[in-house]
Amino acid sequence: MKYTTRPQALLLLADGTIFYGKSIGISGTTFGEVCFNTGMTGYQEVFTDPSYFGQIMVTTNAHIGNYGVNNQETESDQIRIAGLVCKNFSFTHSRPDSEGDLLSYFIQQNRVAIADVDTRALVSYIRDHGAQNAVICSDGTPIEELKKQLALIPDMKGLELASKVSTQEMYSFGDEKASYKIAALDLGIKKNILRNLAKRDCYIQVFPYDTPFEKLAAINPDGYFLSNGPGDPDPLTQVQETARQMIASDKPVFGICLGHQIIALANGISTYKMFNGHRGINHPVMNIKTGKGEITSQNHGFAVNREELEQHPDLEITHYHLNDQTVAGMRMKSKSCFSVQYHPEASPGPHDSSYLFDEFVAAMHETKTINV
């Protein structure tokens, strides 16, 4: 085996804390909000998830890159994380259906990464001190200069990022002759959401995040979908108005993650930035209707205000997170509108909550039957 010396790199947090490591081969600097994901698999899906745009990802799995990459396991057309922090980065990989190595994937998309970091200490620090902006540097830029540059990076709270990841043009997914047609607003939609809907006999037309309701309604859909996405939902005032019009149409409306928060805001319920957020594929959620626990895939740094939701006359909580009691799902009593804070498409993750797609399809079927 040939051993090589890799250049030193560092992770500088906004509060001045520094974690040292080694560059994995891409020289440069990258800025973003540092966060951690507790998943033990699915790193490629995580790295390409648009909801992670603007974030530096710390992986808690000790080995990253060990099974390479596969083009069928992407959630968008490019890496979305701002940078990667890991313990052991695998320059070699072993899997029969891999199509390449992770290092080449990062180099191709010019993403900076740092390895050999004590990620257990880093995750513990983030957990205790909260998510904050950070910079990965592997090009030798002086620390004092990095601090100056980092101070100019805006906080995630108040930051609108959906426009950075949304499609620029409408596109379609699935069989045009499918039984159900959905108008989906792309706030950072994951491919596996589209796959889950398409395999349930749905034809999805995906629209840019700022598409007015009139254009969505013009295709005469059977239901409306509000996708996941990055950033703070509060600045998305136009999307909130579009959601109000979706709800008023009396057609089924389903929201996931950022879409869930948008539906809350459209009903006058506020959202807030969490201390750390939930990111991983083993988050326990209680389904109030069934009384059963579900293991879910989650990725969000904002949440819906539970106290306000409980006082709302037309909304009710359907799911809550068992670790901190935060709102994980809700529905409207007078409309066919529901949403969840987690990812039922779970790519990666468990399939406990895939029934939510069935419920959305069932709601569209019922509405179509009534209107015949």
Side-chain angles (χ1 to χ4, degrees):
M1 178 181 289
K2 180 180 179 181
Y3 290 90
T4 58
T5 301
R6 289 180 287 136
Q8 188 178 66
L10 61 85
L11 174 75
L12 169 65
L13 305 185
D15 66 6
T17 305
I18 301 175
F19 289 83
Y20 290 96
K22 298 290 186 179
S23 169
I24 66 163
I26 307 166
S27 179
T29 59
T30 187
F31 298 83
E33 182 186 64
V34 66
C35 64
F36 60 87
N37 186 295
T38 58
M40 292 292 103
T41 188
Y43 56 74
Q44 188 178 1
E45 293 94 321
V46 169
F47 298 162
T48 56
D49 180 351
S51 294
Y52 282 115
F53 183 86
Q55 294 181 310
I56 291 174
M57 172 56 58
V58 181
T59 52
T60 57
N61 190 342
H63 300 281
I64 296 299
N66 52 314
Y67 57 82
V69 296
N70 185 304
N71 290 332
Q72 300 302 311
E73 295 171 359
T74 61
E75 287 302 317
S76 67
D77 58 1
Q78 60 184 287
I79 295 175
R80 297 295 187 172
I81 59 171
L84 169 67
V85 182
C86 64
K87 177 59 178 174
N88 300 316
F89 188 94
S90 298
F91 292 88
T92 58
H93 62 282
S94 176
R95 184 173 57 150
D97 62 350
S98 65
E99 298 175 354
D101 63 276
L102 188 59
L103 177 60
S104 298
Y105 195 55
F106 267 68
I107 291 175
Q108 177 190 11
Q109 302 194 33
N110 196 32
R111 290 299 193 275
V112 178
I114 178 175
D116 295 350
V117 175
D118 186 345
T119 50
R120 289 184 299 178
L122 174 55
V123 168
S124 179
Y125 190 88
I126 299 170
R127 186 182 60 205
D128 293 342
H129 294 83
Q132 57 187 285
N133 284 339
V135 55
I136 299 174
C137 177
S138 60
D139 64 5
T141 302
I143 290 176
E144 290 306 312
E145 177 60 27
L146 291 174
K147 288 181 178 179
K148 292 177 183 178
Q149 295 177 21
L150 184 55
L152 300 176
I153 303 300
D155 290 334
M156 189 64 74
K157 181 174 175 57
L159 200 56
E160 184 279 299
L161 293 177
S163 61
K164 308 294 185 183
V165 297
S166 179
T167 181
Q168 298 299 305
E169 302 288 341
M170 189 275 286
Y171 67 92
S172 301
F173 192 95
D175 184 355
E176 191 174 358
K177 298 179 181 178
S179 300
Y180 306 99
K181 183 190 295 182
I182 298 170
L185 206 58
D186 177 14
L187 309 177
I189 199 166
K190 292 175 66 178
K191 286 183 180 178
N192 207 43
I193 290 175
L194 299 175
R195 296 186 194 107
N196 269 275
L197 291 170
K199 75 179 183 180
R200 288 170 170 81
D201 200 20
C202 295
Y203 176 62
I204 312 100
Q205 290 185 260
V206 185
F207 293 83
Y209 82 105
D210 57 353
T211 303
F213 175 74
E214 292 75 20
K215 284 192 176 182
L216 303 177
I219 69 168
N220 191 28
D222 300 304
Y224 294 99
F225 178 75
L226 290 154
S227 84
N228 61 293
D232 190 339
D234 199 53
L236 292 167
T237 53
Q238 180 180 341
V239 181
Q240 294 166 33
E241 177 56 32
T242 301
R244 292 186 192 98
Q245 293 174 293
M246 288 179 176
I247 294 167
S249 74
D250 286 329
K251 290 187 176 181
V253 179
F254 181 28
I256 288 177
C257 209
L258 183 58
H260 162 79
Q261 297 159 11
I262 291 295
I263 290 173
L265 289 164
N267 280 282
I269 306 298
S270 68
T271 58
Y272 63 93
K273 191 176 189 304
M274 304 173 75
F275 188 64
N276 271 318
H278 297 149
R279 299 176 180 91
I281 59 177
N282 58 349
H283 285 257
V285 161
M286 173 58 69
N287 183 323
I288 295 176
K289 180 179 179 180
T290 65
K292 295 181 179 179
E294 301 171 11
I295 304 302
T296 66
S297 174
Q298 301 206 8
N299 167 24
H300 60 102
F302 291 82
V304 171
N305 187 307
R306 178 165 182 163
E307 184 176 335
E308 292 179 15
L309 178 55
E310 289 176 332
Q311 295 174 358
H312 196 284
D314 196 31
L315 286 169
E316 64 180 3
I317 298 174
T318 57
H319 304 75
Y320 63 89
H321 198 295
L322 284 166
N323 288 349
D324 59 10
Q325 315 304 305
T326 52
V327 177
M330 64 183 182
R331 65 177 289 272
M332 296 188 69
K333 300 174 185 177
S334 65
K335 301 286 186 178
S336 181
C337 175
F338 69 103
S339 60
V340 289
Q341 183 62 83
Y342 50 93
H343 288 268
E345 81 286 352
S347 181
H351 299 159
D352 294 24
S353 304
S354 60
Y355 67 86
L356 291 163
F357 292 107
D358 297 323
E359 291 187 356
F360 183 40
V361 172
M364 289 189 290
H365 176 76
E366 181 179 352
T367 302
K368 284 187 72 170
T369 302
I370 292 173
N371 292 334
V372 170

